[in-house]
Amino acid sequence: MTRDVSRPAARLASPTFSPLYRQIKDFLIRSLEHGEWGPGDAIPSEGELAVRFNVSQGTVRKAIDEMAAENLLVRRQGKGTFVATHSDPRSFYRFLRLVPDGGKVMPTVSDPFCCETVLATPEVAAALGLKVGDKVVHVKRLLRFGGESVVLDEIFLLAELFGGLTLEGLRAGERSLYSLFESEFGVRMINAEERLRAVPADGQSAELLGVQLGEPLLLVERTAYTYGNKPVEWRRGLYCTRHHYYRNELG
């Protein structure tokens, strides 16, 4: 049988090569995802993990270094390596980048005023990987810095993960939202992507943020992901930058 030379020969797919330390990293992330070690827990030492995976300690160290750089793990000198947690005060400003013009950190208060289950609009469904009409939990809140209303957040969450969330629960205690999601629902935000643009204040945002109708606000749209790059939260934040600016570190 001869091959038709007018048709291109089929090519075998090349196997995807993954460095050994990346394979160890993937194993560790799956262990975190499945709850083998919870937020704030110490993980086994590099030596113990090297024995467990039958690799060198240097390979384990490289995997852990990369996970620490991605805020999945935290190294503590003389104490060991721990699973990162939103309860750590240092993690608060990892996801909130608004800074007072004077640079001084001001006391931040979250004031939620709405929590309800709604049907996903096309925009929300696209952001969370849902079907239009699927149930989502809808939260509205104000963030106050030093008593000044600065951020109006509209947040949408997967109902399958946050179905028990209530306004009373949101108002209880002084934890950040992500700390609450982690401790009460077992959902940890690993990373997020944001889109920023300037928009004019509408009637509601002008009233709640104490600005003039049409005054420029910074719109920050964020999709937050948990383990496995699964989107679990989409929010639209309107930021008043009259006395604050958005700060990001590159590199």
Side-chain angles (χ1 to χ4, degrees):
M1 179 178 180
T2 60
R3 181 175 68 85
D4 182 354
V5 294
S6 65
R7 300 177 62 186
R11 294 185 179 181
L12 296 176
S14 300
T16 301
F17 173 75
S18 178
L20 187 55
Y21 83 92
R22 283 283 177 85
Q23 297 178 42
I24 301 305
K25 176 186 173 184
D26 289 342
F27 281 126
L28 292 173
I29 289 176
R30 284 198 291 270
S31 295
L32 296 179
E33 186 175 0
H34 296 152
E36 181 174 348
W37 310 298
D41 288 349
I43 68 170
S45 68
E46 292 176 359
E48 292 172 315
L49 290 172
V51 171
R52 173 175 174 174
F53 295 119
N54 193 28
V55 296
S56 72
Q57 198 164 322
T59 298
V60 172
R61 182 176 302 116
K62 193 170 183 179
I64 290 178
D65 284 345
E66 194 164 283
M67 293 176 69
E70 295 172 0
N71 297 293
L72 295 170
L73 299 174
V74 176
R75 292 187 182 278
R76 294 178 184 164
Q77 188 67 33
K79 294 183 179 181
T81 303
F82 297 79
V83 181
T85 172
H86 292 297
S87 296
D88 186 339
R90 292 171 296 182
S91 73
F92 183 76
Y93 291 98
R94 181 176 162 225
F95 290 97
L96 181 62
R97 301 303 183 104
L98 211 60
V99 180
D101 287 340
K104 183 179 179 181
V105 177
M106 305 291 289
T108 306
V109 175
S110 174
D111 182 13
F113 59 89
C114 173
C115 180
E116 58 185 351
T117 299
V118 299
L119 303 182
T121 64
E123 188 177 28
V124 173
L128 294 178
L130 300 173
K131 295 178 181 178
V132 175
D134 282 351
K135 291 183 178 180
V136 291
V137 177
H138 179 214
V139 173
K140 290 184 180 181
R141 70 162 181 175
L142 277 173
L143 269 183
R144 294 189 172 92
F145 290 67
E148 178 186 358
S149 296
V150 178
V151 180
L152 172 59
D153 270 332
E154 187 174 19
I155 301 167
F156 297 89
L157 304 160
L158 293 186
E160 64 181 270
L161 299 178
F162 298 96
L165 187 65
T166 65
L167 189 57
E168 291 73 20
L170 287 168
R171 288 174 171 170
E174 298 180 355
R175 293 174 293 179
S176 71
L177 279 186
Y178 285 178
S179 179
L180 172 69
F181 295 164
E182 178 184 89
S183 61
E184 298 297 326
F185 297 92
V187 180
R188 184 165 188 273
M189 305 304 182
I190 303 302
N191 53 58
E193 59 183 22
E194 294 184 334
R195 296 187 301 177
L196 287 72
R197 63 166 63 95
V199 297
D202 60 13
Q204 182 187 49
S205 58
E207 179 181 357
L208 293 175
L209 294 174
V211 300
Q212 295 295 318
L213 188 67
E215 185 171 329
L217 298 174
L218 181 64
L219 170 63
V220 181
E221 295 178 315
R222 175 196 300 169
T223 304
Y225 301 84
T226 189
Y227 295 112
N229 208 34
K230 177 182 175 65
V232 293
E233 177 206 50
W234 183 72
R235 71 168 66 188
R236 299 176 77 256
L238 289 170
Y239 291 49
C240 176
T241 56
R242 182 181 294 166
H243 303 125
H244 299 76
Y245 62 92
Y246 192 93
R247 181 176 183 269
N248 202 3
E249 296 180 4
L250 304 177

